[in-house]
Amino acid sequence: MSMLSDRQKEELHKSILDYLHSQNFTDAYNALKTDSSTDYTPDPKAKYAGLLEKKWTSVIRLQKKIMELENRNAQLQEELSAAPARRTGSQADWLPRAPARHVLTGHRSPVTRVTFHPVFSVVVSASDDASIKVWDWETGELERTLKGHTKAVKDVDFDSKGTILVSCSSDLTIRLWDTNNNYVHTKTLYGHDHVVSSVKFLPGDALVVSASRDKTIKVWDVANAHCVKVFNGHDDWVRFVQPSDDGRLLASCSNDHTARIWDAQSGDTKLELRGHDNAVEVVAFAPVAAYQNIRELAGLATTDKSKVPGAFLATGARDKMVRIWDTSTGQVLRTLAGHDNWVRALTFHPSGKFLLSGCDDKTIRVWELSSGRCVKTVEAHGHFVGTIAWGRAALSGGAEGDEPKRINVLATGSEDQSVKIWAP
């Protein structure tokens, strides 16, 4: 069975026919023309003229380039393996420090969300200016701007392979973008009755979940763009939604001062988390790597080796507090106080040792999970810090069977209309 599309087959046949004609291989030319049923008239100005020779020489050049790159890669791997182990050890606990590596400017309104591509050195930002921008975070260059939403874009998220980007907006819609095809807009999902404030892919990439000011959470089928579930329970604007790593649970938070844990399959509320004194802006499930430190913080049995995703949740709210919860009991394990304004962004350090929070006091705070202490405060932006994300791409070279280590890079977005990239 051919791996080529009909159009590719036609191009190949015409290129070969052109080559056979130019070399006066008349019998072969006529035989191929007949067997392939290709309608072709030789024309020195046609795009097929000389195309086969060009492709052939390109392949040889590419093969040579690949061999050079493989040799260079082997040299670099040798240098890396000879480098002191201490450096890699210290890098595992890397934390952001001023100044940022890049300040990405171009948005004309506050930046509402940043998210990293899971494979490439790409970060995407959403803004109240109704645009989405795609940046190369290593170089700091803008790659493209996506336009389509007619009002503020509130959230963006990649699927696990980075082939689809999903966005949501105050224009009541959710949009899907094909990253392999120049980020062309492929589908629009309609169904919310008010601002769509949060959207995330569920594990498996077949579904996305959204949260809205219409007080609902909806689950959508990516393939047919239909809404397949509606979760009701919050009494006010649902600000943020996050699935657990296995997709069994959803966490959401709202202006009604609560966070909720939902059964993603049935849509039932498993827990209502009450404790904040104001609107809850953000939730984040703790990674399994953080469990031991959280148990130590809360005085729980550290002999418990359970690694079920979604066991602990962090919340950030307008009461200036960060809270860590046990999702099996609904109990607050620790309240982290220190910020001077609304806490609007949370991300766990990949090592599981720290929780990072972004706040309207313009700072990022780093909390040590085993003690609950704030161990670092970074003056991050000139205005509110509204979003924070850790790089998703995995580093190669880990021991077999180990959890892949994630790249050390952090992005923040602010009311000051900029995105900042923090990296070693």
Side-chain angles (χ1 to χ4, degrees), residues 61-71:
R61 271 202 314 274
L62 282 169
Q63 281 178 326
K64 190 179 173 192
K65 187 73 179 165
I66 288 165
M67 285 169 71
E68 286 171 3
L69 287 169
E70 282 176 343
N71 288 334

Side-chain angles (χ1 to χ4, degrees), residues 35 106-107 112 117 123 148 212 256 278 281 292 317 335 363 395 418:
D35 288 351
H107 281 298
T112 53
H117 192 283
V123 68
S212 168
D256 65 12
N278 206 329
E281 288 279 340
Q292 196 73 356
T335 299
T363 70
L395 288 168
S418 75

Side-chain angles (χ1 to χ4, degrees), residues 104-107 115 117 120-127 129-137 139-148 156 158 162-163 165 177-185 419:
L104 312 179
T105 57
H107 281 298
T115 191
H117 192 283
F120 304 126
S121 61
V122 166
V123 68
V124 169
S125 56
S127 168
D129 65 11
S131 78
I132 298 164
K133 290 187 182 288
V134 182
W135 315 81
D136 183 320
W137 64 258
T139 63
E141 288 176 10
L142 177 66
E143 293 193 343
R144 66 183 73 236
T145 299
L146 311 183
K147 293 184 177 174
V156 279
F158 283 104
T163 55
L165 179 75
W177 313 79
D178 182 352
T179 66
N180 288 338
N181 189 18
N182 297 318
Y183 285 81
V184 69
H185 165 239
V419 174

Side-chain angles (χ1 to χ4, degrees), residues 13 46 67 84 145-146 151 200 299 305 313 322 352 362 376 413:
H13 291 153
M67 285 169 71
T145 299
L146 311 183
K151 290 185 180 175
K200 295 284 180 284
K305 302 292 184 191
L313 184 79
V322 176
K362 311 176 192 175
K376 188 168 194 176

